[in-house]
Amino acid sequence: MGCPKYTGMGARDVYAQQVPPTCTDPTDSCSLCCAVFTDPDLRAAFGYQEDTAVCECHDICVEDVRLICVHEETVSLQLPGVDALAANCRGRRIVTNAAAFTCLDVTVTCAEENLLPDCSGVENEVGLQVVLESTTTTPPMIFLINTTVTFECTQFFTFPDGQLRNSGSTPSIQEELTLIDGSCKTIIIESCEVIPDPTCPRVEVGLKVIDKLWKFENLLVSAIRPYPENITVCTVFGGNQLIGPCPPSPCP
């Protein structure tokens, strides 16, 4: 028979509830964090046990963003061929009721990037899945369109001063890339609209990608420790939860 589980409140938790928390910040470097730390509701929500916190200088190793490229694009995709007229003499079928389609959702399925061979920038790849609904049938039909958007970023701006870096700048993007260790990107789906154009019925997806190149850096930051000495273990969710690199296209 195993040991029984203890689910009662510990002495430290009782003490933390009785004593108003304090946060010492002599240089006003951690005011926002101190406000979170001393808020009773947030303390309960986040499980803070320490009753005192001090704004201190911490030595951390992080991915420090050096360069940012912003890319905007409208992706145009042909609508599925339901409600199409009979094929003409050449076998072509034309969508006749594009207005019956509605864009339900756009999901990012994969994302990756690689340095260009001449180090003039990076090539980005973003996979998208567009979900469409057609109301021409009962019940409505759902259609999926999978596509991959590829583009190059060759013009970057330094963070935080916003200085242009490309092949013709001084220093050049090639020189800047000698210090870069990796990248991350923010992908924003700005719009999804069905265009019932009789000559080219399509769905258009507005896409904005903020591509960030970073360097592993050792930094000193001002911060507080909200928990007592603890063991922190991190896990990266794999499988379908992880947006990984795009697989090779099955088509040449």
Side-chain angles (χ1 to χ4, degrees):
M1 183 175 182
C3 298
K5 294 182 179 180
Y6 174 69
T7 58
M9 181 176 291
R12 187 182 185 90
D13 299 311
V14 174
Y15 179 77
Q17 288 190 357
Q18 294 175 344
V19 178
T22 60
C23 187
T24 305
D25 185 11
T27 61
D28 198 29
S29 300
C30 304
S31 57
L32 180 58
C33 291
C34 281
V36 172
F37 179 79
T38 56
D39 184 287
D41 294 332
L42 295 180
R43 286 178 61 80
F46 301 150
Y48 295 155
Q49 288 179 276
E50 286 290 327
D51 49 277
T52 61
V54 179
C55 185
E56 298 173 317
C57 184
H58 293 269
D59 185 332
I60 63 174
C61 294
V62 294
E63 295 135 354
D64 186 33
V65 174
R66 297 292 188 90
L67 299 164
I68 297 177
C69 167
V70 178
H71 176 83
E72 293 189 77
E73 182 173 342
T74 298
V75 183
S76 182
L77 302 170
Q78 186 174 359
L79 287 174
V82 298
D83 308 317
L85 291 173
N88 62 15
C89 294
R90 291 187 178 273
R92 181 188 179 196
R93 298 177 184 271
I94 300 174
V95 176
T96 59
N97 193 14
F101 283 96
T102 302
C103 182
L104 297 182
D105 190 26
V106 182
T107 303
V108 176
T109 58
C110 61
E112 64 177 317
E113 64 187 279
N114 295 284
L115 291 171
L116 293 173
D118 62 354
C119 296
S120 62
V122 295
E123 181 180 57
N124 278 271
E125 190 173 14
V126 177
L128 300 176
Q129 183 178 86
V130 182
V131 182
L132 299 175
E133 181 183 62
S134 173
T135 58
T136 58
T137 61
T138 303
M141 296 179 64
I142 300 296
F143 294 86
L144 301 180
I145 303 177
N146 290 286
T147 188
T148 301
V149 183
T150 303
F151 61 91
E152 293 182 358
C153 266
T154 56
Q155 178 170 289
F156 288 84
F157 292 91
T158 58
F159 182 85
D161 52 357
Q163 298 298 308
L164 174 65
R165 294 290 186 268
N166 56 25
S167 292
S169 65
T170 303
S172 67
I173 185 62
Q174 287 88 343
E175 294 175 85
E176 294 281 6
L177 286 178
T178 62
L179 301 175
I180 295 301
D181 293 317
S183 68
C184 66
K185 57 171 64 68
T186 297
I187 303 167
I188 302 171
I189 307 299
E190 296 191 308
S191 62
C192 182
E193 183 180 6
V194 174
I195 309 297
D197 185 339
T199 60
C200 184
R202 63 196 183 275
V203 56
E204 293 186 347
V205 178
L207 185 70
K208 183 175 185 178
V209 179
I210 299 94
D211 187 37
K212 302 180 180 183
L213 304 185
W214 49 259
K215 177 185 182 299
F216 283 123
E217 192 64 88
N218 192 180
L219 302 178
L220 299 179
V221 299
S222 294
I224 66 173
R225 296 178 189 268
Y227 303 98
E229 293 301 323
N230 66 90
I231 297 172
T232 299
V233 180
C234 297
T235 298
V236 176
F237 293 122
N240 294 331
Q241 188 68 15
L242 182 66
I243 297 178
C246 299
S249 172
C251 301

